[in-house]
Amino acid sequence: MGANDFQQAITLHRPAKAVTPQGPWSVEAIQALLDKPLMDLLFEAQTVHRQHFPEGDIELATLLSVKTGGCPENCGYCPQSAEFDTGVKAQKLMEVDEVLRAAQAAKDAGATRFCMGAAWRAPKDRDVEKVAVLVEAVKGLGMQTCATLGMLEPHHAHQLKAAGLDYYNHNLDTAPEYYTDVVDTRTYQDRLDTLAHVRSAGISVCCGGIVGMGEAPVHRAGLIAQLANLNPYPESVPINSLVRVPGTPLADSDPVDPFDFVRMIAVARITMPTARVRLSAGRQQMGDAVQALCFMAGANSIFYGDKLLVTGNPDVEADTVLLRKLGLNARQVQEQASESCAA
């Protein structure tokens, strides 16, 4: 995709009216934010953050792989692709009792949202029926529910909504013109179509991307532009730092500069002020100081637990200690449940 095509893609998905006082957001405007002196950028992001999240709480979400491996997609970052030899073995969808035990343990550890991931390109009708049962069961624990199952048809989205699904995760991954460098078994429009189906069903959107896949700075700006110009922008925005898994095509990618990652968090906060910006994959490699800067930049959600699908994640005790050191409080289960009921 050339420069003109890229700008056209941005324009096509730009809302008719501004989604923030500063928007709609051009790639150039977002690049200018990313290029700001770091302290100035952090100050601006923290100012926006405090305006919209005066409580300063951190949402704790737990992610469980309920169906692992064997995915026919060739996403270059993913150890669950059947095309790559990463040591991940394909497994069937977990039983309800197994998922409920994991969800209860997550709730007992303080998590308020439980996310279920399944390695499908697109689930079949029978798959969605089974996941709907899982959603109903987890919802019964008083937790917010989230699922990421691949591409959805409209009737699947409505079925999951009827089961009580609160959020659907479907990341854009990167800017449209870099997308085919990462995966070519689906298109960028496929992802946008799934997001539209989710919105139409009345499910909240969890959508973000990954940095560290060999993209240029303009691609990072382009990713934020795509997210911020969705109408409305996602309620939850996970920003992932690539976990380089041996056997995947992106295993030898250069690590992201920690300050560049912090900048992405800050710009996500500024351009999507009311979203929960989630500090997501890659936290295990960041260390406490970088995570603290991410919280200062406006991150107010983390994946919580010892595993992110099939890759490592800081354990619960370490996260608890870090939040205590920083004087940050976890969002409470009761608040999440009451908000969900009122929606």
Side-chain angles (χ1 to χ4, degrees):
M1 180 181 284
N4 290 337
D5 292 331
F6 173 48
Q7 189 57 50
Q8 183 180 20
I10 291 290
T11 302
L12 286 174
H13 300 288
R14 178 178 293 167
K17 60 180 180 179
V19 293
T20 73
Q22 302 92 337
W25 292 94
S26 68
V27 175
E28 293 77 15
I30 291 171
Q31 188 64 63
L33 283 175
L34 287 168
D35 290 340
K36 272 191 168 187
L38 183 60
M39 296 301 112
D40 292 345
L41 180 61
L42 288 178
F43 180 80
E44 182 174 348
Q46 180 63 198
T47 300
V48 171
H49 183 63
R50 286 173 181 256
Q51 288 172 350
H52 296 279
F53 293 94
E55 297 299 321
D57 58 354
I58 304 297
E59 176 192 70
L60 305 181
T62 293
L63 175 61
L64 176 69
S65 179
V66 296
K67 188 273 177 188
T68 301
C71 181
E73 302 278 15
N74 66 354
C75 305
Y77 52 81
C78 185
Q80 301 200 67
S81 171
E83 292 198 17
F84 313 139
D85 183 11
T86 62
V88 174
K89 296 181 180 179
Q91 300 175 14
K92 294 181 180 179
L93 185 69
M94 294 173 66
E95 297 294 332
V96 176
D97 289 348
E98 294 178 275
V99 174
L100 267 180
R101 283 195 296 270
Q104 184 64 58
K107 180 179 178 180
D108 292 344
T112 57
R113 185 181 299 175
F114 192 74
C115 306
M116 293 166 276
W120 289 310
R121 169 180 166 78
K124 298 179 174 63
D125 288 352
R126 64 176 181 270
D127 299 323
V128 175
E129 289 174 4
K130 292 176 181 178
V131 172
V133 174
L134 299 181
V135 170
E136 289 176 350
V138 173
K139 190 75 171 176
L141 297 178
M143 302 183 78
Q144 280 196 336
T145 54
C146 179
T148 177
L149 316 172
M151 294 183 289
L152 288 187
E153 295 295 331
H155 68 286
H156 291 153
H158 284 280
Q159 190 173 354
L160 292 169
K161 172 64 176 179
L165 188 68
D166 297 300
Y167 284 80
Y168 193 81
N169 168 258
H170 200 62
N171 291 334
L172 291 179
D173 291 344
T174 188
E177 83 278 21
Y178 191 68
Y179 188 73
T180 55
D181 289 61
V182 178
V183 53
D184 62 15
T185 51
R186 70 171 83 180
T187 68
Y188 211 78
Q189 189 60 49
D190 288 333
R191 291 195 178 269
L192 292 169
D193 289 345
T194 289
L195 295 178
H197 299 332
V198 169
R199 277 284 180 219
S200 294
I203 300 171
S204 294
V205 168
C206 176
C207 183
I210 307 171
V211 294
M213 300 190 294
E215 73 281 350
V218 69
H219 301 138
R220 295 176 185 174
L223 168 64
I224 297 293
Q226 285 285 319
L227 294 169
N229 288 329
L230 290 171
N231 188 16
Y233 55 74
E235 288 84 356
S236 180
V237 181
I239 304 295
N240 300 272
S241 178
L242 177 69
V243 177
R244 295 169 294 159
V245 179
T248 60
L250 294 174
D252 297 324
S253 299
D254 292 334
V256 178
D257 183 287
F259 294 134
D260 287 343
F261 186 83
V262 172
R263 289 176 182 277
M264 285 291 287
I265 296 286
V267 173
R269 168 53 64 221
I270 292 167
T271 58
M272 293 170 277
T274 64
R276 284 275 170 181
V277 176
R278 179 173 297 140
L279 181 54
S280 238
R283 284 202 303 126
Q284 195 169 44
Q285 291 77 40
M286 290 179 189
D288 288 357
V290 174
Q291 290 187 68
L293 283 175
C294 288
F295 291 130
M296 183 180 293
N300 60 349
S301 177
I302 59 173
F303 272 128
Y304 187 64
D306 62 356
K307 187 175 284 189
L308 250 181
L309 293 179
V310 295
T311 60
N313 198 45
D315 62 27
V316 167
E317 184 178 354
D319 282 333
T320 301
V321 170
L322 176 59
L323 294 179
R324 187 182 303 124
K325 284 180 179 178
L326 299 177
L328 296 172
N329 298 314
R331 198 177 191 193
Q332 298 302 304
V333 175
Q334 297 92 316
E335 294 174 3
Q336 291 277 41
S338 63
E339 285 180 13
S340 177
C341 292

